[in-house]
Amino acid sequence: MSKPAPTPEPPYYAVIFTSTRTGIDEGYGAMSEKMVEMASQQPGFLGVESARGEDGLGITVSYWESEEAIAHWRRNAEHRIAQSQGKEKWYSEFVTRVAKVERARTFGKS
Amino acid sequence: MSKPAPTPEPPYYAVIFTSTRTGIDEGYGAMSEKMVEMASQQPGFLGVESARGEDGLGITVSYWESEEAIAHWRRNAEHRIAQSQGKEKWYSEFVTRVAKVERARTFGKS
């Protein structure tokens, strides 16, 4: 089971990507996996959480050390191609929000 | 189908709640619905997005005008009871992060 991403003490940054899909699957799963793998190798990457519910709404939150780390990943050439294909084919709607995490609390049953 | 929450121009605040569930369902669905309904009636509430994937990870992001609005909802008596039951029964693990949304971009197919 996926778990909440372990992250350091705030402050750090979150990119909240909320989307609905088109009916087109062509290459989506492979690209999605590749982008998570590539993102996780970028400088300043802290973690990622992702869920898509039965009603079709998907939420992916990635965590980053700094705005510079986010900007660096945004400029990545393969990521740009994926974003372009996302708009053309895979997503009917999305919102990307960049936010500064100011505080966090964790709960876990031992 | 649920959609990304419409939100005003930044800045505003996001509460990112990422969780895994226990196997205990007792009262969870009803309380979850009630909390979304109550939150949406609070001053400063802007919207909410929620998804739980097949692997069990759930992400709920609620959006608020200000930190004061978040603090006000956190102190709500019924919300406190729900949080306490959540720790006792429904959640095996969660992280709550409070973040200031600094910028946002929207994409939608017409």
Side-chain angles (χ1 to χ4, degrees):
Chain A
M1 181 191 273
S2 286
K3 310 186 89 180
T7 39
E9 283 296 302
Y12 51 87
Y13 283 82
V15 179
I16 307 164
F17 178 78
T18 310
S19 68
T20 51
R21 292 282 318 280
T22 60
I24 302 167
D25 259 339
E26 191 191 318
Y28 173 74
M31 185 64 96
S32 180
E33 278 178 34
K34 187 177 178 186
M35 286 303 114
V36 168
E37 197 187 310
M38 283 187 63
S40 69
Q41 293 163 5
Q42 300 299 304
F45 174 86
L46 297 175
V48 63
E49 298 162 342
S50 196
R52 186 170 300 277
E54 286 177 6
D55 67 358
L57 187 73
I59 304 174
T60 297
V61 189
S62 57
Y63 299 101
W64 302 86
E65 273 177 17
S66 65
E67 295 209 78
E68 291 68 34
I70 294 169
H72 183 262
W73 172 231
R74 193 169 47 234
R75 288 191 301 265
N76 178 284
E78 289 187 77
H79 186 203
R80 291 178 78 104
I81 291 167
Q83 287 179 309
S84 163
Q85 290 194 288
K87 288 182 185 178
E88 273 171 41
K89 297 194 293 191
W90 299 315
Y91 297 113
S92 51
E93 192 170 2
F94 65 74
V95 180
T96 306
R97 295 176 175 98
V98 177
K100 184 178 187 178
V101 178
E102 297 181 343
R103 56 183 192 276
R105 275 189 314 158
T106 296
F107 167 79
K109 288 196 164 69
S110 56
Chain B
M1 182 190 274
S2 287
K3 310 186 89 181
T7 39
E9 283 296 301
Y12 52 87
Y13 283 82
V15 179
I16 306 164
F17 178 79
T18 309
S19 68
T20 52
R21 292 282 318 278
T22 61
I24 302 166
D25 260 338
E26 192 191 316
Y28 173 75
M31 184 64 96
S32 180
E33 278 178 34
K34 186 176 178 186
M35 285 303 115
V36 168
E37 197 187 310
M38 282 187 64
S40 69
Q41 293 164 4
Q42 300 298 305
F45 174 86
L46 297 175
V48 63
E49 297 163 344
S50 196
R52 186 170 300 278
E54 286 179 4
D55 66 358
L57 187 72
I59 305 174
T60 296
V61 189
S62 57
Y63 299 101
W64 302 86
E65 273 177 15
S66 65
E67 295 210 80
E68 292 68 34
I70 293 168
H72 183 262
W73 172 231
R74 194 170 48 234
R75 287 192 301 265
N76 177 284
E78 290 186 77
H79 186 202
R80 291 178 78 104
I81 291 168
Q83 287 179 310
S84 163
Q85 290 193 289
K87 288 183 184 177
E88 273 172 42
K89 296 196 292 191
W90 299 315
Y91 298 113
S92 50
E93 192 172 2
F94 65 75
V95 180
T96 307
R97 295 177 175 97
V98 178
K100 184 178 187 178
V101 178
E102 297 180 344
R103 55 184 193 276
R105 276 190 313 157
T106 296
F107 168 78
K109 287 194 164 70
S110 55

